[in-house]
Amino acid sequence: MIKLLSVAIFAALFLESHQKTVGKVLLAEVPEIKPQLPCDYPTHIQCWTDWFDRDDPTGSGDWETFSNLYKENPGKICRKPQGIEATTLSGLSVVAAGEVIFKNDATSGFVCRNVDQTQKKMCSDYRVRFSCHPPFCGGGVCWTDWFDRDNPSGSGDWELLSNLRKEYLGKICEYPLYIEVVTTDTMTPAISTGENFYIFNPTQGFVCRNKDQKSGECRDYKVRFGCPCKN
């Protein structure tokens, strides 16, 4: 009887010890699961083409028309762009350049005529790019968190990518493909507010200046960036 009891106790202790060992091994073999940014295909955000500069203002002006650019750059511009961005070759936005622009839309393209400028001034030399919807853009997009580093209480709302990188180390990819901007209170897309923007692109970030608004003050905005998904 004593022998049987001893055997039973030994077996129980061995089983308990074996279970603990197995448990430790199993836990050690479970791989660590790291959270990843969700990858999706945006329907309301566009990607940008390369920059195009087919003309200069030495003649009647700078004519960067969509019809000519589409013919001269086959496969590089979608058939129906959603938007257009124009800057001077030195990087100034249309608002910052302060010139009179004859055309600036995704359907017609961009035209600055010398005859429209004051004091017989010639237009600056401009470059343009167009925004397109997927699938023209390619793969999916991984979004960063929302960032809101400024408010319009000063000269405006300055959400520059260079500043955001410094303040949120490692949180933004090296080459963002997209930028999304909404108001902080109602999540209204910036493009639906009717305000004028000084900078609005994924390579520089976003700036809304109070002096460019009819009301005299920008709304408060937050931004996020779309990055290439890593397989």
Side-chain angles (χ1 to χ4, degrees), residues 132-208:
C132 301
H133 275 314
F136 182 84
C137 306
V141 178
C142 291
W143 291 100
T144 65
D145 294 331
W146 288 102
F147 304 112
D148 178 24
R149 65 169 301 276
D150 195 19
N151 60 58
S153 59
S155 61
D157 195 346
W158 295 71
E159 307 291 343
L160 288 171
L161 178 59
S162 57
N163 291 331
L164 290 168
R165 283 192 192 283
K166 295 176 184 177
E167 298 174 19
Y168 299 94
L169 295 176
K171 297 292 183 69
I172 306 173
C173 59
E174 186 174 2
Y175 300 109
L177 299 175
Y178 308 87
I179 184 172
E180 184 174 12
V181 185
V182 299
T183 59
T184 57
D185 52 356
T186 60
M187 293 289 288
T188 302
I191 57 175
S192 300
T193 62
E195 295 190 329
N196 300 309
F197 305 119
Y198 184 63
I199 294 175
F200 192 168
N201 63 69
T203 55
Q204 294 176 292
F206 174 83
V207 174
C208 179

Side-chain angles (χ1 to χ4, degrees), residues 95-150:
V95 174
E99 296 177 337
V100 179
I101 305 304
F102 181 65
K103 293 283 186 181
N104 188 19
D105 62 79
T107 303
S108 304
F110 177 88
V111 177
C112 179
R113 302 188 306 182
N114 293 333
V115 69
D116 297 327
Q117 310 312 311
T118 59
Q119 300 177 351
K120 297 182 179 180
K121 177 189 173 186
M122 185 181 293
C123 292
S124 299
D125 194 1
Y126 287 87
R127 61 179 184 173
V128 300
R129 63 178 180 174
F130 299 89
S131 61
C132 301
H133 275 314
F136 182 84
C137 306
V141 178
C142 291
W143 291 100
T144 65
D145 294 331
W146 288 102
F147 304 112
D148 178 24
R149 65 169 301 276
D150 195 19

Side-chain angles (χ1 to χ4, degrees), residues 209-223:
R209 301 190 305 183
N210 292 333
K211 67 179 183 180
D212 298 327
Q213 314 311 316
K214 293 181 180 179
S215 64
E217 186 176 46
C218 297
R219 297 181 65 174
D220 192 10
Y221 292 94
K222 60 182 179 180
V223 305

Side-chain angles (χ1 to χ4, degrees), residues 1-33:
M1 182 69 179
I2 294 175
K3 288 184 178 180
L4 290 175
L5 183 60
S6 299
V7 170
I9 293 173
F10 175 78
L13 291 173
F14 174 80
L15 181 60
E16 181 182 359
S17 174
H18 183 66
Q19 286 177 335
K20 287 182 178 179
T21 303
V22 172
K24 290 179 181 178
V25 172
L26 289 175
L27 288 174
E29 291 177 350
V30 175
E32 181 183 0
I33 300 176

